Structures are given as C-alpha cells and as structure tokens.
Amino acid sequence: MSEHTPSTPASPAGDLPGPVRLRVAPSPTGDPHVGTAYMALFNLAFVRQQGGRFVLRVEDTDRARLVEGSEQQVFDTLRWLGLTWDEGPDIGGPCAPYRQSERLTTYAPYVEKLLAEGHAYHCWCSTERLAEMREEQQRLKQPTGYDRLCVGKTEAERRELPGFSETPVVRLLVPDDVELEFDDLIRGRMSAPRPDDQVILKADGFPTYHLAVVVDDHEMGITHVVRGEEWVSSTPKHILLYRRLGLVPPKFAHMPLLRNTNKSKISKRKNPEARLTWFEEEGYLPEALVNFLGLLAYPPARDAEGNDVELFTFEEFSQRFAWSDVNPVGPIFDLKKLDWLNGVHIRELSLQDFAARLLPYLQRAGVLGEAPTLGELARLEQVAALVQTRMAHLTEAAELVAPFYVADDAVEVAEDARAQLKDDAAQVLDAATAALEAVPDEHDGVLGSEATWRAESIEAALREALVDGLGIKPKFAFGPLRTAVSGRRVSPPLFESMEILGKGATLTRLSALRATL
C-alpha cells in the first residue's frame, strides 16, 4: 500500500434511519454460539424500545476458519428465536454490503490516512522473528507485545536487519499516553491494560478485526456497541482508532459472559448447549430460550405484591429495559431453570399451537409421515390435550404420542412395562374386556357429536369391574390396561386415551396383550 496522502475517508452516506443503531456481528465459523442470541436479545430489546434499527453484519475476514452453511444457520436460528434484524446480508439496507469480505475496498482509505499521518506503520517482521521475540519476553517474564523494530524505518533499512518478510503488515502506533479509561453503559467508568501496536492490516490485504469493526461500525452509523466483557481490553485501541481517524466513538456496553456451573466460560467445544442449534434439536421453545437469556443478566419484574415475575415475553422485556439494570456479574447457565421455563411456556400455548409445534418432532421421529392425513392431524390435537402438561421438552412427545399411531394388534410392549405385570394381569384384562364390551358406542346429537364412548363412562365401568368387582386397589388395577393400550409403564391419561382410540381399537389392544400371557 502506498504512502501518498489519501482522501479523507467517507462518512456514512446520508442520514441513516433510526435514532439508535445497534448491531450483532457473528463470525460464520461453525454452529452459531448461544452467546450470539444472548447479545442479539439485549441489542434488540434496546433498539425496539427506542424505535431504532438493528443491523446483522457477518464478520468473515478470518478465511481459514469459515464453515460452509454457518452463515445460513445464523440467519435461521436468530429468526427461529424471533430476534429479527432491519438490515443485513440477506435483506440488504442502506449500508450494504453487510459481509466484511465484500467490504475490503472500504478499509483502504482509512489505512492510508493512518499511515500518512504517522498513526500507523508498515511492519516487515517475519512470523519466525515475532515468535522468537515472544518466547524471549516470556522467558524474561516481560509483558508480551511488539518491540517496534520497524517503527521509523524504510523498507530498505528494515531489509538489512534479521527476520525480514517481503510482505508487510500495517500496525497501529499506540502512543505512550494512550487513554486507558472509558465509560461503559453497564459498568460505569472502566480502565483496561495498555495495548501494544496492534496489526490492523494483514499481509493478505484483509483487515484485522480491530480495524474492520471500527470502520464498519462508523460507516453503518452504529451508536451503541454491545459486546461481551472479553472485549474490554480491546476498547482503548478501538477508541484510539476512532480518534486517530477523526471519528466520534459510539457508546460501549460490555455484557457479562455466560458461565457454566463451575464458573468456566461456556464453550462449543465442551458444552453442547453452547450451540444455538442444540436448543431446537432438544425441543425447547424459542420464547422460553429468549425468556431464559433475558433472566441471565437482567432482574425479573415485580408484581404488585413484590414477587418476582420470571415469565415474560420479548416485548415486555424490551419495554422495561435499561442498561443500568444489567447485572455485570457473569451469569450461570442453569439448564434446570431453562427446563422449568420451557415447561411453563409449553403449558401456556393454545392447544392448536402446541399440536402444530409437536408435528415436526413427531415427523422427525417417524411417528407421522411428511404429509399427515386430516384424520391423523385431528387425532394429534386430541392427544396433544392429554400430554401438554406432561412434558418439559417437545422431544418427549414421540414416546407419548407414538402408541396412538400404531396398528392396534402391533403395539410394542416395553420390557419394563411387561415386567411390572402381576400374576392377576390375565384376570384383569378379561374382566376389563367384559366391562368395556358393555359400554355403548353410539353417537347422538347434531352430526353425531355426542358420543357415549367417553372417558367418564369408561372409567366408571372399569372401576366397577376391577376395583369393586375384583377388589384390586386402583393403584394396581389399571397397570395392565395401560400396558395394553400404550405398551408403556408411563402413558397419557388412560381413560382419555381409550376414548381417543375408540372402542374397537381399545378392545383389540387388550386382546393382543391378553394373548401373550
């Protein structure tokens, strides 16, 4: 890159929309991290409250770590959570393009300006020399950082010294009196360690994160930079870059890092729940995950009696949001709390919505096909009413629902269910069959809507035959029937299940188990 005096870098074009503009900027290097959703939630809550704009920018300049399909996963998972953006690579916007790899020409004038004004310099040090330098610093227990061998030297002067590389990088010249303190919206006045002369343009012509993030945030009119606390140490050099370029820094907010129960940072390598795609796979509702992520770093609302209100929607979270209320202490990622919240959110769904959400999990498990019939869908809604209060994850549905979609003479009896059958199981099944055969199966009323084969009449007949007739305690009387109907030790409510299956199917299932005893 030449060292002629460049033109002044362009300001953001025109008046960008939104009184505040915030962004989330993931890197497509594998499954999206749950931290991306966590950051997006807090950014978006403030944006929607203020009537601003939320920008999705893809930071893909680390070409060695790119994973094909990862960018689409970011789009899909954030949309699944309802954390949608106003500008981004897939929908465009006034600051397009929104992928850093498509913005390489954007950064050149900024680098030229820094070089021309003496705020940056070319560094020709080879990777081998830099490695040796760091090893020596560590051996002497000195702070690691670049030793400025190239500062003030021309290419010819530097070539005569050891460890020369033909292709230079560009480093930011950090002054001795660099400002290390800054204001944080969450943590107040903060300070960070003094940075060394950071590389801002790599040998391959790609900017490093530190230059690209400053330039892109400026050009995209970002008013508030919200990111994890691991970036606190980078903030002084980012603020220095803004000032060296004659730009106004945004406001900063550093969110606490998500932590495991042992206080370690949650990571995709060690924690499956660090993968954002894991939550949908495991049957969590998106609104439950959003609720959970909000609670991780923000106090719940209080009701009139002063009790915590831990259940809330994104809209409710956004309305009462304030940066000053964010808890700066790293929150513990407690999956038991998420399971509880998920169960509560499942029970809050309308029956139709719940059934619709179960469908893809049942199809994935092979319980239902890709194109269920109207009869199968109607039965699903009936069964959903029985199981909605019995699960914490949507993935639990397949086990509970599958018996309603198998042939009546082909119910697979689980080993633990068969093992609990007592010696009187055959007698119980015979008595139950006789009792149920006597229960009428008729339809009266408008379009036959009033059936006589109902849970209440089924229960009454079976209690009379088994509890009163055979003298078996209710706790034991219905076990063989549950095994015959569902093949499981634990199943949806028995009498309601028999009503849904119908008289013929119920009797066939009792007969099939009886034949094996």
Side-chain angles (χ1 to χ4, degrees):
M1 188 173 286
S2 64
E3 296 190 7
H4 67 277
T5 302
S7 57
T8 303
S11 296
D15 291 324
L16 293 172
V20 299
R21 293 175 59 82
L22 283 77
R23 51 78 174 167
V24 67
S27 298
T29 55
D31 282 356
H33 194 284
V34 66
T36 298
Y38 170 65
M39 293 299 163
L41 169 62
F42 282 79
N43 275 279
L44 189 60
F46 182 66
V47 164
R48 295 294 176 247
Q49 181 192 81
Q50 300 293 318
R53 301 272 284 191
F54 184 45
V55 177
L56 175 63
R57 184 173 72 229
V58 174
E59 298 192 344
D60 59 348
T61 54
D62 190 346
R63 309 306 287 177
R65 296 179 61 221
L66 292 187
V67 175
E68 187 175 352
S70 179
E71 181 183 289
Q72 188 60 48
Q73 280 187 321
V74 170
F75 299 159
D76 293 344
T77 48
L78 290 182
R79 282 207 173 93
W80 174 69
L81 288 167
L83 304 176
T84 53
W85 47 100
D86 305 303
E87 303 170 25
D90 55 335
I91 57 175
C95 303
Y98 291 90
R99 290 183 190 90
Q100 281 188 338
S101 61
E102 297 171 1
R103 299 174 59 82
L104 296 185
T105 56
T106 303
Y107 309 112
Y110 293 89
V111 177
E112 294 284 3
K113 177 178 172 65
L114 291 168
L115 286 168
E117 295 178 0
H119 299 313
Y121 59 93
H122 287 103
C123 173
W124 289 271
C125 289
S126 65
T127 53
E128 293 78 11
R129 180 187 181 270
L130 294 174
E132 290 171 5
M133 178 193 72
R134 286 196 187 88
E135 285 176 16
E136 181 67 7
Q137 289 170 338
Q138 289 168 350
R139 188 181 68 79
L140 297 174
K141 297 185 177 178
Q142 296 173 343
T144 55
Y146 183 58
D147 61 4
R148 292 186 164 175
L149 178 65
C150 294
V151 172
K153 293 182 177 62
T154 64
E155 179 178 351
E157 290 169 339
R158 178 61 184 84
R159 186 181 290 274
E160 297 187 7
L161 299 174
F164 178 85
S165 171
E166 292 289 341
T167 312
V169 300
V170 176
R171 291 183 181 273
L172 176 68
L173 182 62
V174 177
D176 293 337
D177 61 350
V178 61
E179 178 61 58
L180 300 176
E181 291 192 347
F182 60 92
D183 291 315
D184 186 278
L185 292 170
I186 296 171
R187 301 158 190 272
R189 192 71 175 165
M190 296 192 73
S191 64
R194 186 186 184 285
D196 73 336
D197 288 5
Q198 181 74 46
V199 174
I200 57 173
L201 191 73
K202 294 180 282 187
D204 61 5
F206 275 72
T208 62
Y209 169 82
H210 302 286
L211 175 71
V213 74
V214 166
V215 171
D216 287 342
D217 283 345
H218 163 66
E219 296 230 338
M220 295 182 183
I222 301 303
T223 58
H224 299 67
V225 169
V226 183
R227 56 192 182 187
E229 63 182 296
E230 71 266 38
W231 294 107
V232 164
S233 61
S234 296
T235 305
K237 57 192 159 198
H238 293 174
I239 292 174
L240 177 64
L241 270 168
Y242 277 103
R243 292 188 172 141
R244 290 294 192 236
L245 292 167
L247 310 176
V248 178
K251 294 176 180 175
F252 290 93
H254 289 91
M255 293 288 295
L257 292 180
L258 303 178
R259 301 192 184 280
N260 295 304
T261 50
N262 65 1
K263 305 295 179 69
S264 63
K265 179 181 174 183
I266 190 167
S267 73
K268 289 191 290 185
R269 190 167 52 83
K270 296 179 180 177
N271 310 98
E273 67 272 19
R275 293 189 302 108
L276 198 46
T277 51
W278 181 83
F279 296 93
E280 193 272 338
E281 293 165 5
E282 292 295 311
Y284 289 100
L285 298 183
E287 52 266 60
L289 181 55
V290 166
N291 190 164
F292 175 70
L293 292 174
L295 280 173
L296 283 178
Y298 205 81
R302 297 286 179 88
D303 62 17
E305 285 75 42
N307 301 309
D308 287 348
V309 180
E310 295 193 311
L311 207 70
F312 50 76
T313 64
F314 170 79
E315 289 72 22
E316 291 165 340
F317 181 68
S318 176
Q319 285 169 7
R320 66 185 184 88
F321 183 76
W323 291 114
S324 57
D325 288 337
V326 175
N327 186 346
V329 178
I332 301 300
F333 205 89
D334 182 359
L335 285 176
K336 289 181 181 177
K337 182 63 170 283
L338 176 57
D339 287 342
W340 172 78
L341 274 173
N342 203 54
V344 174
H345 277 277
I346 284 174
R347 294 188 287 278
E348 293 277 317
L349 297 174
S350 71
L351 183 58
Q352 292 77 14
D353 189 7
F354 176 59
R357 303 221 201 179
L358 290 183
L359 184 56
Y361 291 91
L362 297 173
Q363 290 172 320
R364 199 178 298 168
V367 175
L368 288 170
E370 283 303 305
T373 65
L374 290 176
E376 287 173 329
L377 293 174
R379 172 165 285 192
L380 175 57
E381 199 163 300
Q382 291 179 302
V383 177
L386 302 187
V387 302
Q388 187 168 7
T389 61
R390 292 169 171 253
M391 60 177 64
H393 295 211
L394 296 182
T395 46
E396 296 167 15
E399 179 81 5
L400 294 168
V401 173
F404 292 90
Y405 291 96
V406 298
D408 298 314
D409 58 356
V411 176
E412 288 189 21
V413 178
E415 287 185 16
D416 63 343
R418 187 177 292 279
Q420 72 165 0
L421 293 175
K422 300 192 180 336
D423 294 340
D424 62 357
Q427 182 187 14
V428 169
L429 289 167
D430 289 340
T433 298
L436 291 176
E437 283 176 340
V439 177
D441 185 14
E442 299 163 357
H443 293 267
D444 300 320
V446 180
L447 298 177
S449 60
E450 296 176 15
T452 54
W453 178 262
R454 296 188 60 80
E456 296 83 359
S457 53
I458 294 166
E459 181 178 3
L462 290 173
R463 285 188 180 279
E464 183 179 349
L466 305 180
V467 179
D468 301 336
L470 297 182
I472 304 174
K473 292 180 179 179
K475 178 180 178 183
F476 304 109
F478 305 120
L481 310 186
R482 191 181 306 282
T483 299
V485 166
S486 69
R488 308 284 192 271
R489 281 188 65 187
V490 179
S491 70
L494 177 61
F495 311 118
E496 287 80 356
S497 296
M498 290 178 164
E499 178 183 329
I500 291 171
L501 287 168
K503 182 173 181 177
T506 298
L507 291 171
T508 299
R509 292 182 181 215
L510 296 185
S511 174
L513 179 61
R514 176 65 181 85
T516 68
L517 299 177

